[in-house]
Every structure is written in structure tokens, then in C-alpha cells.
Amino acid sequence: MSATTTLASATSGPAAPTAALAFGIADYLVFSLMLCASTAIGVYFGFFSKAKNTTEEYLRGGKKMQTLPIAVSLVASQLSGIAIMSVPAEIYTFGFNYFLVVIAMVVVVPILVYIIVPVFYENNVSNCYEYLEIRFSKFTRQLVTATFVMNSCLMLPVYMFIPSLAFSQVTGMNIHLINTMVSSICVFYTMLGGIKAVVWTDVVQGGIMLISVIMVGVLGTMQAGGLSSVLENASNGGRFNFDFRLDPRIRVTVWNALIGGIFMWTGHIGLNQSCVQRIVSLPSYAHAKKSLVIAGIGFMIIMGMMTFTGIIMFARYYGCDPMLAGLVSKPDKMMPFFIQDIMGNLPGMPGLFISCVFSAALSTLSATLNSLAGVVYFDYIKPFIRHTEARANATMKLIIIGMGVYCIVGGYMVQNFSSIIQTVMSITGINTGAVVGVFLLGMLYPRANSKVAGSSILFSMLVMLWIIINAQMHFRSGLIKYDVLPNSLDQCEVSNLQMISSVIRNNSLTEATSTSRPPLVTSAFGSNREFSIFDISFYWYKGLGILLTILWAVPMSYIWKPDEKQTQNPKLYTPFVRKFLNLNHVYELEQLPLNGTQLKADPELKIDLSETKKENTATT
């Protein structure tokens, strides 16, 4: 195929009717059971659990959470409806390079286990942003906390709108009605049950996701003609072509997928309060280490299945593209179409998949709401009111309700987004790099002080905001246009896809081929324009944000020099950095531990007792 095949009506004509794509009674029953189970868990922990009504219990489960449920919860909260819906669509349209984002977890888990999480446990923080106040200043903490709140406000409506889109696609119900109903249920059980309800609903929802993903993979492979046929069609369609080019303007390559994935998951799991809150709710660092390893393996298994689902979906529609036929208006709607195609005749199976999408969305939404309530209360409300446990819990529940209403209203804006993955990575690209960068500065770079940290965050975020705004202007003006990998409609009869074939016949669609690309355009696979920083792929945004933070911080740390008289607490640095610190400081008597057992428990503190004895003798 020498040129990309298009259809005149693929973008201008309305989508074909999908009367056959409908929920049955069994599907509604499966979906209702999932929502009822989530609600019941919230009711149990809200009214019948014997736990104390304290903020420690509400936010960290009394620090008595169990390893496996936390691991499942971490996986479930990262597999938002965006991943379930948009990752297969990304593979379908742009190829298998995205798989490197999944493989990045092999590098991320050791970073979390050996560099980041030990620091949180040794400093006994319940909020990861507390560390920034201890290491740098209150201003640094408030700055990063503000970015967390901003990200949450931008992303929460997206998390809930995507599954509502899928449900609307297969039932015909109004998207905003569905969004209102399910968001209300999520707010209800999160508000009542706290972190325990969040984690245990994640366990239930994680089980639904695993069953659904396996079923989709098995049935999809069978419908596509078997595994050998799937691999052959995907290879012939160019979906297995890994791109090793170094041009940063290419949408997704091996390099930006792998590097972007490392920084993205490090930020989302290890340096984001919604996940850190669950990690530090475990009794010890040993439990956290085990939980992160299990979560990493589980994440790669399920996300690996989701990426391969995109390959299966392409193999099914190789030479018979529903988007070209006008049956599906954009890639993010391909997954529900595919599910109804391969499972529509099996009672309850479409309902199981939609439950999977909603489970992923609910787990992400509930975790974010719970942690957001804690951050907003302790950082922005507690300093200005008289704190009591009852007042704190009531305030956090009101915050959750308010954010739930905001999610419902925000759905009206999300419906205008064209590519969800691109939208999400662009929004989070503004500040994720700066946040990851400042945490790494704190843990790895002893010269960094509060002035360096705060200015680094602002510098990185302002530059990234400037780049992303200009990039969006380039998209709107047509200077950047991500055309998908080619597909066609010439094998619909051979593929036995009667529904698509009938639409083509009824609408008398005619093909029109494009023999040349518009001049001076940056596409998904190359560019004929002069290089512009605004044209770089959004997969580079997080890595670029970290690079900007470091490029500012290192020279500024020599201008704003650290106070050499200030004692360096070794616990504020990651373990392998501590041996490079100058810890030969003389401690006053009131700084000494009360007994020898504490000295043994903290071997990093090198205290010159001989000097202390001399001073005491002189005083006497």
C-alpha cells in the first residue's frame, strides 16, 4: 500500500447506526452487581467496622494494611479507564512501540524500592509532601502540593468520562447521566469508608479487570483466526515495527516510550500522594518492598495484555477498518465496538467488560479523592481552624462530595477532547517532571537547598507550560498532524465482517487516496519542517521537565550555597548517598538519644561522644 487509504465520509459523515450494539438484561445485571459490591464495601467500613474514627484510620488504615491488597490496589488505581480504553486504541493506530512504556516498570520498581520508599519510611511521613518541608521548606511543600491539587482537578473528570463514553457507546444512554450516577456511587463509598474502602473495592475491581482482560484476549484471538493469524496480520500491517530513530518529533519511539515510561510511573506511583498514601499505610518497609514488587509484576501482566489487545483488535479489522467505514468516529471508541463485535452474542460478556472499564475508573477516582481530601485539609484548612478528629473527618468528607460534583460538571468539557492519551500526557507533562525532579534533588543531591528547589520547580513548570501551549497551537494550525498507520476496506468480504460490509454497501462509500502529504507538517512518523521544540512528542514531556529541573538546580546550588554549619540528617537522603555525607558534627546533650538501643537502631548517626564528655568535664 503506497499511500494511506481514506474515505470521503470517514470524517464528514455520521457514524452508522449501531442498533445491534446493545446491552442485554444479563449485562445490566453484571454491571449492577459490580456497583452494588463497591457500595456495600463502603457501607461496611463506614458503619459496621470497629475502627476508630480518626484521621490516621481514615487516611492510612491505622498503618495496619496488608501487603497483597495494597499491591492489587496500586495496580488497579494505575489501570484507569484511560488505560483500558485508550492503550489498545494507541496500539491499533500507531503500533507496538507503546509496549516499552509497560516494560519501563522493570526499571521503576527498583527505583521505588531502593531510592524513594526507604526515605519515606525512615522519616515516618504519612504525606509524601511532608518530606519536601523537612528537606527544603514549607514553601517547597506548598508549591508541589498545589501541583497535585491542580493535576487532580484536571484529571478527575477525564477518569470518569472515559468509561461513561464506553457505556454510552454500547447502550445509547446519555453520557452525562451515566457519569452522574457512577460518580455519585464512587463518592459515596469513598466518603464513608476511607482508605480501607478504597483498597478493598480496588481488590474486587482488580479481579473484575483481570477476568475481563483475559476473556477479551482469548475471545478476540479466536475471532481473529488464532494466534498465528493475529501475528501475521499485525506484522503485515506494520504494527510490530519498532522505531529506533532519535528524532524527538516522532510521536512514539522505543526511546521516548521507555524513558517517558520510567519517569511517568516513578512520578505516578512513588511520588504521588494517592499511591504513597497506600504504600506508607503498610506496617513496615519490608511489607512495602514486597507489595511494590508484586504490584510491578501484576501491572506488567495486565498492561501487557492490554497492549496485545490492541494487536488483536488490529488483526481482527485488518483490511476492514470500522473507522474508515464510519462506524467508529475516533480511536478511543474502538474498544467498545470491538467488545460488542467479539462478545455481543454472549450474555453478560459486554457487561463484564464495561464493568472492567468502570472498575478501573472507580479505583483511580476513589484513591485520588481520598488522598486529595487529606492533602487539602492538612495543607490548606487545618492551619486556619481548631483541629479535632471529628471536625477533620467531616471536612474531608465534604471535600470528597465537592470534588464529585466537580467531576460531573467537568464531563461536559472532556467530551471535546480528540485523543485521551495525548490529552492526559500533555496535562500531566506540565508538572510531573518538576515534581519528580525536586524529589530526586532532595534525596540524591545534598547541595540543593530550599531556594534551589523552589526556583527549579517554577522554572521547569513555566518552560513546560510555554512548550505545551505552543504545541497545542501548532496542532490547531495544522503544523502538527498525527496521521495513523494505514489500514483499508478492501478485505471486508474476505474477513467475513458482514456488519462493516453492509454499511459500506448501503452508504456507497468511495475511496479517495492521498498521494502526497501536506507540505511542512510534523506527523506521527516524521517531519519535513525545520526543527522546533514545540513539535517534540508529548511522550518526552516528563523527561524534559526533569532535565529542566536539574539544569537549573545544579548551577544555582553554587550560587545559593548550602549552609555548611547546618547539620545534615542522613535519613533525608537515599541510603547509597549517605556514605558521601559529612556527618562528623558534634551533637549537644539534648540531641542525644535517651538510651543505647536508639543508637543501635540508627547507625547512620555518627556522634562524637568524646568531645561531649570533654565539654561536660570542663563545665563541672
Side-chain angles (χ1 to χ4, degrees):
M1 192 180 303
S2 59
T4 303
T5 303
T6 60
L7 288 172
S9 65
T11 57
S12 58
T18 55
L21 308 182
F23 256 27
I25 295 176
D27 301 305
Y28 282 108
L29 181 60
V30 170
F31 182 69
S32 300
L33 285 174
M34 183 274 294
L35 293 180
C36 290
S38 299
T39 305
I41 291 171
V43 169
Y44 171 75
F45 285 110
F47 293 111
F48 301 104
S49 176
K50 297 180 181 179
K52 297 178 181 179
N53 185 30
T54 64
T55 54
E56 173 73 8
E57 186 70 31
Y58 192 76
L59 295 175
R60 291 204 292 174
K63 207 168 171 58
K64 296 178 181 178
M65 302 300 290
Q66 298 174 12
T67 302
L68 186 58
I70 291 292
V72 175
S73 179
L74 289 172
V75 175
S77 63
Q78 292 305 305
L79 296 176
S80 63
I82 297 168
I84 303 294
M85 292 280 288
S86 298
V87 168
E90 180 79 359
I91 304 295
Y92 182 91
T93 50
F94 296 105
F96 206 55
N97 286 288
Y98 186 89
F99 182 66
L100 274 297
V101 175
V102 180
I103 295 299
M105 189 60 69
V106 174
V107 180
V108 171
V109 171
I111 292 174
L112 299 179
V113 168
Y114 296 109
I115 295 179
I116 295 173
V117 173
V119 178
F120 291 151
Y121 265 89
E122 292 186 17
N123 288 280
N124 193 31
V125 298
S126 58
N127 179 329
C128 64
Y129 309 125
E130 286 179 44
Y131 167 79
L132 295 176
E133 182 174 356
I134 301 170
R135 172 66 176 87
F136 295 120
S137 65
K138 188 172 184 179
F139 172 75
T140 308
R141 173 181 177 172
Q142 291 174 335
L143 196 57
V144 175
T145 299
T147 68
F148 171 71
V149 174
M150 178 191 74
N151 259 15
S152 299
C153 290
L154 291 172
M155 295 308 305
L156 284 174
V158 180
Y159 291 141
M160 280 313 301
F161 184 81
I162 296 304
S164 300
L165 180 69
F167 196 91
S168 175
Q169 178 87 348
V170 298
T171 64
M173 289 180 62
N174 181 274
I175 291 176
H176 302 294
L177 177 63
I178 303 162
N179 193 22
T180 301
M181 177 184 68
V182 181
S183 295
S184 300
I185 291 173
C186 182
V187 166
F188 176 74
Y189 74 72
T190 304
M191 177 190 67
L192 285 180
I195 189 66
K196 288 185 176 179
V198 170
V199 170
W200 284 105
T201 51
D202 283 352
V203 171
V204 173
Q205 292 158 359
I208 295 172
M209 282 187 270
L210 181 61
I211 294 171
S212 178
V213 167
I214 292 173
M215 291 293 294
V216 170
V218 172
L219 292 175
T221 302
M222 292 171 60
Q223 291 283 352
L227 184 60
S228 60
S229 178
V230 167
L231 298 177
E232 181 182 357
N233 286 348
S235 179
N236 291 338
R239 265 55 181 182
F240 280 139
N241 295 340
F242 286 100
D243 197 327
F244 290 90
R245 289 177 291 172
L246 298 177
D247 187 343
R249 295 171 295 181
I250 299 172
R251 178 185 169 105
V252 54
T253 65
V254 168
W255 311 115
N256 64 16
L258 184 60
I259 295 172
I262 291 171
F263 294 138
M264 179 172 68
W265 300 127
T266 299
H268 286 186
I269 300 174
L271 301 171
N272 183 293
Q273 178 57 12
S274 64
C275 287
V276 173
Q277 181 177 331
R278 279 167 284 176
I279 294 170
V280 299
S281 68
L282 290 162
S284 69
Y285 167 66
H287 289 85
K289 180 179 178 180
K290 188 183 297 183
S291 184
L292 284 167
V293 171
I294 296 171
I297 294 171
F299 173 87
M300 286 190 290
I301 290 173
I302 296 185
M303 278 295 288
M305 290 180 179
M306 292 311 305
T307 54
F308 197 70
T309 297
I311 293 295
I312 296 170
M313 187 161 62
F314 175 78
R316 169 67 173 163
Y317 302 121
Y318 177 54
C320 192
D321 190 353
M323 289 193 294
L324 291 179
L327 275 170
V328 178
S329 59
K330 60 181 180 178
D332 288 321
K333 294 185 177 182
M334 275 297 302
M335 196 62 180
F337 180 89
F338 176 61
I339 294 305
Q340 285 290 358
D341 179 24
I342 65 172
M343 291 182 167
N345 60 332
L346 301 175
M349 286 298 104
L352 178 65
F353 174 75
I354 296 299
S355 297
C356 165
V357 178
F358 269 101
S359 294
L362 289 171
S363 64
T364 306
L365 181 63
S366 61
T368 305
L369 285 174
N370 184 259
S371 57
L372 182 64
V375 167
V376 170
Y377 176 76
F378 283 101
D379 283 52
Y380 297 103
I381 297 177
K382 182 183 174 183
F384 304 102
I385 66 171
R386 186 173 61 85
H387 170 77
T388 65
E389 292 293 336
R391 181 173 292 179
N393 282 343
T395 304
M396 287 189 286
K397 290 175 181 179
L398 288 174
I399 293 169
I400 291 172
I401 293 173
M403 288 306 299
V405 174
Y406 167 77
C407 287
I408 295 168
V409 175
Y412 287 91
M413 294 185 63
V414 178
Q415 64 182 340
N416 297 318
F417 295 164
S418 57
S419 171
I420 297 300
I421 278 188
Q422 183 175 336
T423 300
V424 169
M425 295 189 76
S426 296
I427 290 173
T428 57
I430 297 172
N431 71 302
T432 300
V435 172
V436 174
V438 77
F439 271 103
L440 294 181
L441 283 176
M443 296 177 183
L444 301 175
Y445 190 55
R447 285 194 64 89
N449 55 35
S450 59
K451 290 182 179 178
V452 171
S455 60
S456 298
I457 296 169
L458 292 172
F459 175 73
S460 177
M461 287 182 59
L462 289 173
V463 173
M464 290 307 304
L465 184 63
W466 172 64
I467 291 173
I468 291 171
I469 288 175
N470 279 278
Q472 295 306 308
M473 292 172 64
H474 280 206
F475 272 105
R476 287 184 176 275
S477 63
L479 295 175
I480 305 176
K481 186 177 181 182
Y482 286 156
D483 293 324
V484 303
L485 284 170
N487 203 346
S488 66
L489 289 168
D490 55 9
Q491 297 187 40
C492 287
E493 297 293 343
V494 177
S495 302
N496 198 30
L497 292 168
Q498 289 88 353
M499 180 167 54
I500 299 177
S501 300
S502 63
V503 169
I504 295 173
R505 287 193 298 270
N506 292 340
N507 292 348
S508 301
L509 298 178
T510 58
E511 292 189 1
T513 57
S514 175
T515 57
S516 62
R517 184 177 295 156
L520 301 179
V521 170
T522 295
S523 73
F525 308 103
S527 177
N528 56 8
R529 284 164 33 82
E530 290 187 8
F531 180 81
S532 169
I533 189 68
F534 308 130
D535 289 0
I536 66 169
S537 169
F538 55 88
Y539 281 93
W540 285 113
Y541 285 168
K542 293 174 177 63
L544 182 58
I546 293 175
L547 180 62
L548 289 168
T549 305
I550 295 171
L551 288 177
W552 177 273
V554 172
M556 295 308 294
S557 67
Y558 287 89
I559 297 175
W560 291 318
K561 296 180 180 180
D563 185 356
E564 294 181 359
K565 296 180 181 180
Q566 186 176 1
T567 302
Q568 292 177 306
N569 181 356
K571 290 185 177 181
L572 294 176
Y573 303 96
T574 201
F576 74 82
V577 171
R578 295 172 190 172
K579 60 185 177 182
F580 300 107
L581 298 176
N582 179 19
L583 298 175
N584 293 317
H585 295 282
V586 178
Y587 283 70
E588 300 295 335
L589 275 177
E590 57 266 26
Q591 293 178 279
L592 294 176
L594 296 177
N595 55 54
T597 57
Q598 287 174 274
L599 280 173
K600 294 176 183 177
D602 194 2
E604 299 291 344
L605 287 177
K606 299 178 182 177
I607 300 172
D608 192 343
L609 292 174
S610 61
E611 292 295 327
T612 306
K613 289 177 181 177
K614 289 178 183 178
E615 291 178 8
N616 292 340
T617 303
T619 304
T620 304

